[in-house]
Amino acid sequence: MNVIIDLQQATDADVPSEQQFQLWASAALAEVNEDCELSIRLVDETESAELNNDYRGKNSPTNVLSFPFESPVPLEPMLLGDLVLCVPVVEREATEQNKAIDDHWAHLIVHGCLHLLGYDHIEDDEAELMESLEISILQKLAINNPYIEQRVTS
């Protein structure tokens, strides 16, 4: 299985490398048995807020938005959809939650990829399943459980 990423950086901010995004997305999509492709767009708060308002009715920026692609016909590679991550929100959350910035990036990529695969966290049982998958995938990347408070030492 090969994961193809179209990385779009719409901000001048310092972000993880394309190889890191590739590693994190591949870990999240390891159970997919065919080649797949997704776009990852890194944006500022203005673009995130506009998309969040247009698609979710929430007029504020958010950490990650997932836009699954559903093809009426099978495609090769399988197109999963788009992830849009707001760089300032990701950075702020990592600081507020005392998480290493790359660990938080990894968590949000894994979280977004799971959404592209159809997982959700609206209902409690869905949230429990999705969180357990995230924890397991991140553990394989040597990243601590993102749902427990961490202390980052610099």
Side-chain angles (χ1 to χ4, degrees), residues 116-133:
L116 295 180
L117 293 175
Y119 291 94
D120 212 331
H121 47 82
I122 295 171
E123 302 295 328
D124 287 345
D125 59 334
E126 294 173 335
E128 191 173 308
L129 173 61
M130 190 168 175
E131 288 176 11
S132 69
L133 287 170

Side-chain angles (χ1 to χ4, degrees), residues 8-118:
Q8 304 170 6
Q9 190 167 345
T11 174
D12 293 331
D14 186 30
V15 296
S17 69
E18 188 166 349
Q19 291 76 20
Q20 286 173 294
F21 286 112
Q22 181 75 42
L23 173 71
W24 300 328
S26 294
L29 301 169
E31 300 301 316
V32 176
N33 293 321
E34 57 186 289
D35 290 349
C36 55
E37 182 174 349
L38 69 144
S39 294
I40 297 174
R41 183 168 174 82
L42 308 174
V43 301
D44 60 17
E45 289 178 301
T46 301
E47 186 171 343
S48 177
E50 288 172 0
L51 289 168
N52 201 21
N53 188 47
D54 290 349
Y55 291 95
R56 298 178 63 225
K58 298 182 178 187
N59 192 19
S60 61
T62 190
N63 53 17
V64 60
L65 291 167
S66 303
F67 299 96
F69 177 75
E70 295 182 20
S71 176
V73 295
L75 298 174
E76 292 183 25
M78 177 175 59
L79 299 179
L80 294 176
D82 304 325
L83 300 179
V84 179
L85 291 102
C86 182
V87 176
V89 171
V90 174
E91 292 172 342
R92 186 169 50 250
E93 285 179 347
T95 300
E96 291 169 353
Q97 297 171 19
N98 294 317
K99 294 179 181 173
I101 185 68
D102 281 353
D103 290 0
H104 194 47
W105 276 109
H107 177 215
L108 293 174
I109 293 297
V110 168
H111 183 87
C113 285
L114 290 176
H115 274 307
L116 295 180
L117 293 175

Side-chain angles (χ1 to χ4, degrees), residues 99 107 111 130-131 134-135 144-150:
K99 294 179 181 173
H107 177 215
H111 183 87
M130 190 168 175
E131 288 176 11
E134 291 171 19
I135 292 164
N144 291 328
N145 180 341
Y147 295 103
I148 59 172
E149 188 173 333
Q150 307 292 322

